[in-house]
Amino acid sequence: MTTKRAMFLADWPSWAGRAALVWSVLYAAGAALAAATGPAFGYALLGKGTGPGFEAAAAGLYGAAAVLAYALLRRPGARGLTAGAWAVVGLCVTSGFVFLLSPVRLLFFLSRHQEPMDWASWSNQGLAILGAVLWGCAALAGRRARLGSCAYCGGREAAAAGDASRAGRVAVAALVPYTALKTAWALGLTPGYTGVGRPGADPRYTSDLGLWLYDHGVDVTAVLAVIGMLLALALTRPWGRRLPRPLLLGLGWAGAGALAPFGVFLAVLGLLAWTGVVETGLADHAPWVVAVAYGGFCVFGLSLGRATHVHQRATRRTCGRC
């Protein structure tokens, strides 16, 4: 049974398009049903009741995705259809973005006094991420069909070692401002902070252990940033080849998918606050704190995605089909 399952997964180019079609039809049908019955099944934006408008829009968008999937099956490799498939991937990631950040709730030192988990929304967001994976496979298979390369490996062109090393260095550099700032705050310095009290450690959400560490100069999120730097280096340095490949790829793609759009949001928010267009609710923080330090998450996510892609290609086994 395990062998059959492995063979089925390895044969993904043959079924990814049909799976994306079925998923889109079911997800759109669920959204349409939610629109007809009121916010249900977790389709309400961020788990909040927004009325049937959001569900109806989701039904229309994913219904159009189903039509696109059918067209892609009829004309595999068509340039415009493949580009549309990647757009659906982005739509799915947008719908399930919160799911990518949900593991933070498992970190007890960051999840104090969090709102109760909305399991319907969480499950729905997980289904959206599944859709992103299926559509990503379908888009990749379509692209390879258009290029005339092997559908299973995409060709055996060598990954550029220089690209991998550069991506790792950029990823590390992107998190340096955030790590330095949060460490400075934990040590009692207050660059970019004009309020009263300790910046960067909200007692409403940080556990007693996290506050204790903070009082002793250790910011937990800065430690997590250092772990992210080590992940980027493991993906791009020779010593990382000794670590489990599935673990590195899973962490790399999950981190890239979560932090790149999150960083874009924070960077744009910081720039708008810097120019006085919006109020962020962080009046005691200088606008550059959000724009520069937090915006580094976007650069890190993009660089991490590049590093993960290069590592995936460099460590791929020889294709037995081409």
Side-chain angles (χ1 to χ4, degrees):
M1 182 64 69
T2 302
T3 303
K4 291 182 178 180
R5 185 182 298 111
M7 293 177 60
F8 174 76
L9 293 176
D11 200 35
W12 62 268
S14 67
W15 53 259
R18 293 192 299 273
L21 171 60
V22 172
W23 178 90
S24 300
V25 170
L26 294 177
Y27 199 75
L33 185 59
T37 60
F41 316 118
Y43 279 91
L45 187 60
L46 298 181
K48 299 177 181 179
T50 55
F54 176 81
E55 291 82 357
L61 288 172
Y62 286 104
V67 175
L68 176 65
Y70 178 77
L72 195 60
L73 287 175
R74 297 294 299 271
R75 297 181 57 198
R79 182 186 296 271
L81 298 180
T82 303
W86 288 117
V88 177
V89 173
L91 175 63
C92 293
V93 171
T94 301
S95 298
F97 174 66
V98 177
F99 180 86
L100 294 174
L101 296 179
S102 62
V104 173
R105 289 179 173 270
L106 301 178
L107 303 176
F108 69 94
F109 43 77
L110 295 176
S111 59
R112 182 177 182 175
H113 302 314
Q114 291 278 8
E115 295 180 0
M117 176 71 80
D118 186 336
W119 292 105
S121 293
W122 184 82
S123 301
N124 189 296
Q125 293 154 6
L127 288 175
I129 296 302
L130 173 62
V133 173
L134 295 176
W135 268 101
C137 291
L140 187 59
R143 179 178 182 274
R144 290 173 177 175
R146 178 170 57 84
L147 297 177
S149 58
C150 175
Y152 296 89
C153 72
R156 289 297 301 170
E157 60 269 21
D163 288 349
S165 180
R166 189 181 306 111
R169 292 195 300 270
V170 171
V172 170
L175 288 185
V176 168
Y178 177 85
T179 306
L181 180 65
K182 296 302 290 287
T183 300
W185 285 353
L187 292 174
L189 304 176
T190 58
Y193 183 74
T194 58
V196 178
R198 47 188 166 190
D202 193 335
R204 294 174 298 174
Y205 302 110
T206 308
S207 71
D208 293 336
L209 175 60
L211 293 175
W212 183 87
L213 290 172
Y214 190 87
D215 290 338
H216 289 78
V218 179
D219 182 271
V220 174
T221 60
V223 174
L224 294 177
V226 172
I227 294 175
M229 295 179 189
L230 292 175
L231 172 62
L233 293 176
L235 288 164
T236 57
R237 305 303 299 173
W239 56 266
R241 302 291 179 87
R242 295 192 291 268
L243 299 176
R245 182 176 185 266
L247 176 64
L248 289 181
L249 294 181
L251 291 175
W253 285 123
L259 292 178
F262 185 55
V264 170
F265 169 76
L266 289 175
V268 171
L269 183 66
L271 289 174
L272 292 177
W274 204 336
T275 57
V277 176
V278 299
E279 171 59 46
T280 63
L282 299 174
D284 49 3
H285 291 71
W288 64 262
V289 171
V290 180
V292 178
Y294 295 156
F297 290 152
C298 174
V299 179
F300 173 79
L302 294 174
S303 301
L304 185 66
R306 174 59 179 166
T308 305
H309 177 67
V310 173
H311 181 82
Q312 181 174 331
R313 295 190 65 82
T315 58
R316 181 188 296 147
R317 295 179 180 178
T318 301
C319 180
R321 297 177 183 266
C322 68

